[in-house]
Amino acid sequence: MNETPPELLRLRQSIDNIDAALVHLLAERFKATQRVGVLKASLDLPPADPAREERQIERLRGLADEAGLDPHFAEKFLTFIIAEVIRHHEAIADDRGGIADTHG
């Protein structure tokens, strides 16, 4: 039976730690975007802000390039997150509209 090399175990543990950090960071990001969604709904603002989203994508592409990460991958990653945030904002707006509809 082959034993897993210690270096591979060390690298995998590092990856596991980074994955855990990413999950926690994403959770914090979504908590903040949920608050944004509630605020947008209360101000009757649209769920999406294409100009801001484009600026964020360009900013992330630049950060990715500086960090040695493929900017195209970073853009795909942020685009996925933005789509999920917009979906949440739409649901918040729909819920607020539903509440208003049932109460008056």
Side-chain angles (χ1 to χ4, degrees):
M1 183 166 163
N2 292 341
E3 190 173 316
T4 305
E7 178 69 4
L8 181 56
L9 291 173
R10 186 188 67 73
L11 289 169
R12 285 178 175 168
Q13 183 60 53
S14 179
I15 290 167
D16 292 350
N17 291 340
I18 293 166
D19 288 345
L22 284 170
V23 167
H24 288 282
L25 285 170
L26 283 170
E28 286 302 310
R29 189 185 196 287
F30 276 98
K31 287 176 190 173
T33 60
Q34 285 296 102
R35 291 190 301 269
V36 168
V38 170
L39 182 58
K40 282 181 169 184
S42 72
L43 297 173
D44 203 25
L45 295 172
D49 183 345
R52 163 132 171 102
E53 293 152 18
E54 186 58 37
R55 287 191 308 272
Q56 284 297 93
I57 289 169
E58 285 306 311
R59 180 177 159 270
L60 191 67
R61 285 180 65 89
L63 290 171
D65 191 47
E66 290 171 12
L69 181 67
D70 178 3
H72 182 70
F73 168 77
E75 180 176 346
K76 289 193 307 187
F77 179 72
L78 187 60
T79 299
F80 174 77
I81 291 171
I82 288 170
E84 188 65 12
V85 167
I86 291 169
R87 190 180 68 76
H88 289 185
H89 289 186
E90 289 169 344
I92 290 167
D94 288 347
D95 287 348
R96 289 187 67 86
I99 291 169
D101 290 344
T102 60
H103 290 95

